[in-house]
Amino acid sequence: MNQWTTLTTEDIATSIIDARDTGADVINMSFSGPNPIETVRQAAHAAFLTDVLLVAAMGNDNSDSPVYPARYSEIITAVGGTKRDDARYENSNFGSWMDVCAP
């Protein structure tokens, strides 16, 4: 049985800290939103200070507007989307703050 659960910002922040505290070297955040959330930024910052590589999705709004957490300075890699021919996926966000693209 599949069941989706809605996470709170506190759940996300706690998950980042738990991953850091259990020895994660990389934390992937495949979610995004238009507004910064201070509790998530603080958790990302705490992980960043312990040399955890933070990766975040740029979003799929076909926009160059920044999304979070990808836009936080602690995020080392903001990832956009590409198609099989390496062209930008038409819904992938874009902008100078993007670091890499992946299919």
Side-chain angles (χ1 to χ4, degrees):
M1 175 182 190
N2 289 332
Q3 185 174 14
W4 290 92
T5 303
T6 302
L7 298 175
T8 67
T9 56
E10 290 78 18
D11 293 332
I12 294 168
T14 298
S15 296
I16 293 168
I17 296 302
D18 287 350
R20 179 204 64 182
D21 290 349
T22 57
D25 295 318
V26 178
I27 298 174
N28 178 49
M29 294 173 275
S30 294
F31 57 88
S32 63
N35 301 312
I37 299 168
E38 186 59 23
T39 55
V40 174
R41 192 207 61 78
Q42 288 175 2
H45 185 73
F48 175 81
L49 291 176
T50 59
D51 295 325
V52 174
L53 174 64
L54 300 160
V55 179
M58 285 193 51
N60 291 310
D61 302 313
N62 190 27
S63 170
D64 65 350
S65 296
V67 295
Y68 297 87
R71 190 64 178 118
Y72 295 135
S73 61
E74 293 84 2
I75 304 305
I76 300 302
T77 306
V79 182
T82 61
K83 299 185 285 189
R84 288 183 183 189
D85 63 358
D86 286 334
R88 182 177 67 88
Y89 172 65
E90 52 272 354
N91 289 337
S92 179
N93 288 2
F94 55 92
S96 62
W97 53 282
M98 180 177 64
D99 297 306
V100 297
C101 287

